[in-house]
Amino acid sequence: MTAALDILPVTQMPADGPYGPAGTHGVTARLFDPPALATLAARRGGGIALAAAARVELGLDLADAPRLSRADGLSAIGTAPGRWLLLAGTEGDLAARLAPLAPHAAITEQTDAYVGVEIDGPHARDLLAKGVSLDLDPAAFPPGAAATTNVAHVNVSFWREPGEDRFVFLVARSYRVAFARFLVASGAEYGLELVHRG
Amino acid sequence: MRIPCPYCGARDASEFAYLGDATLTRPDPAAPDAADAFHAYVYLRDNPAGAHSEWWYHAGGCRRWVKVARDTTTHAIAGAELAEGAR
C-alpha cells in the first residue's frame, strides 16, 4: 500500500492525493504554512505580569500548562513552564500585535520555522497511535489539550482542536518530509488523503 | 519506564536524557582542598541499590531539568520536581 514510498527519495515530499486501498478514506492530513508564529518566553519572575498583560491587551488566557488557549484568532500553545508558541490564524503584523507583551516576555519570530499539519477523520487516532506515545482518548486528552513530544523521532507540538475531532501538529520545517512519510506509512491502511492547504 | 514530568505529565523515558546523581553539591573552588573536592564531585559516584535522587532532562518535551526520586532496583518513581523549584 505504501509502495509509493519505496521509490520516493527520502528528501522528497510525498505527492498530494489518496494513499491506500481504493474507496477507503479514514484520515485526512492537511499540510499548511502557519500565517504567523512566534515563541513567547516569560522573563524571570514575570509570569504573573505577562499573564495579566495578555488578558488585558489580547483577551488571551495564558495558562501555564500544556494547553491551547485562543482569543480573536490568536492561539497560544503551552510548551514549557513560562513558554508558549503563539500562532496567528491569519496573516498580519504579529510583532505589532504582541508588542504590549514585550516588557514581560522575550518574543521570537518563528513563522518559517514550522509547518502545520491538520489531521482528522474517523481513523485519525488509529494513525496517531502508531507514533504518539500519549493516550489520545478524549477522556485523557480533551479538546484544547496540548503536548510536545517525539513522533517517529520527530519532535512536534500538537493539540486537539476544541469542538472538532481534529489534531493540529507543528513540525520543524526541515522535518516535514520525514513527518509526511510517517503519515503515509501509518495512515495508508485506513485510506489517507494527503493535501497541501493554501 | 515512564517519568512523571511536572509540566508535561507521564512520559516515556526515551524522551529524557540522564544526567545522574542529584544529591551532589558543587564544591567551593576557593577552598584549600578544592582539587580533591572537585575530583570527587566530577568523578566519584555511589551506586545505590534502592532510593536515589537523579537529574533527567526532558529533551523531547518541555526541555526542562527534572529532579526524580527513583528506586534503582524497581524503577518505581516516588516523585519528580522541576529543577527550577528544587533544592
Side-chain angles (χ1 to χ4, degrees):
Chain A
M1 274 187 286
T2 53
L5 294 183
D6 294 343
I7 55 167
L8 188 72
V10 292
T11 52
Q12 195 177 324
M13 179 60 87
D16 280 6
Y19 292 85
T24 58
H25 186 193
V27 192
T28 302
R30 292 176 215 87
L31 285 81
F32 65 97
D33 288 321
L37 195 62
T39 53
L40 185 69
R43 300 196 191 281
R44 192 177 294 272
I48 292 170
L50 173 62
R55 201 173 303 116
V56 171
E57 302 288 345
L58 303 171
L60 196 61
D61 172 29
L62 278 186
D64 199 6
R67 280 210 301 274
L68 166 76
S69 44
R70 183 174 284 155
D72 197 19
L74 187 65
S75 305
I77 301 104
T79 57
R83 289 186 75 97
W84 297 265
L85 272 168
L86 293 179
L87 170 67
T90 53
E91 283 187 33
D93 193 345
L94 184 60
R97 211 171 159 190
L98 299 181
L101 306 185
H104 313 291
I107 302 166
T108 311
E109 154 70 24
Q110 300 285 352
T111 303
D112 292 332
Y114 294 88
V115 297
V117 189
E118 289 180 351
I119 299 173
D120 58 21
H123 285 287
R125 271 198 279 143
D126 295 319
L127 184 164
L128 294 175
K130 299 184 185 185
V132 179
S133 65
L134 303 177
D135 184 356
L136 297 183
D137 187 278
F141 199 82
T148 300
T149 186
N150 292 330
V151 176
H153 303 283
V154 177
N155 191 243
V156 300
S157 292
F158 75 101
W159 64 92
R160 185 197 285 270
E161 274 292 310
E164 299 160 89
D165 199 12
R166 174 184 298 160
F167 298 89
V168 185
F169 284 69
L170 292 174
V171 182
R173 181 167 295 272
S174 56
Y175 284 99
R176 70 195 191 286
V177 175
F179 191 73
R181 289 181 73 95
F182 156 73
L183 293 175
V184 170
S186 304
E189 71 163 297
Y190 310 112
L192 172 75
E193 182 79 19
L194 188 67
V195 186
H196 280 71
R197 199 187 74 185
Chain B
M1 186 171 79
R2 295 206 298 170
I3 295 175
C5 172
Y7 183 84
C8 300
R11 294 296 181 86
D12 189 86
S14 65
E15 288 190 7
F16 294 80
Y18 182 64
L19 180 71
D21 197 339
T23 63
L24 301 169
T25 304
R26 191 172 190 273
D28 175 8
D33 63 344
D36 287 344
F38 266 91
H39 178 267
Y41 172 67
V42 173
Y43 295 111
L44 303 185
R45 292 289 180 274
D46 293 334
N47 186 18
H52 195 29
S53 179
E54 2 181 85
W55 294 118
W56 290 81
Y57 176 64
H58 197 185
C62 59
R63 299 172 177 93
R64 288 295 185 273
W65 286 97
V66 184
K67 189 181 190 180
V68 178
R70 181 177 69 100
D71 189 305
T72 58
T73 57
T74 63
H75 298 308
I77 291 174
E81 58 181 329
L82 293 173
E84 288 160 356
R87 297 187 193 237

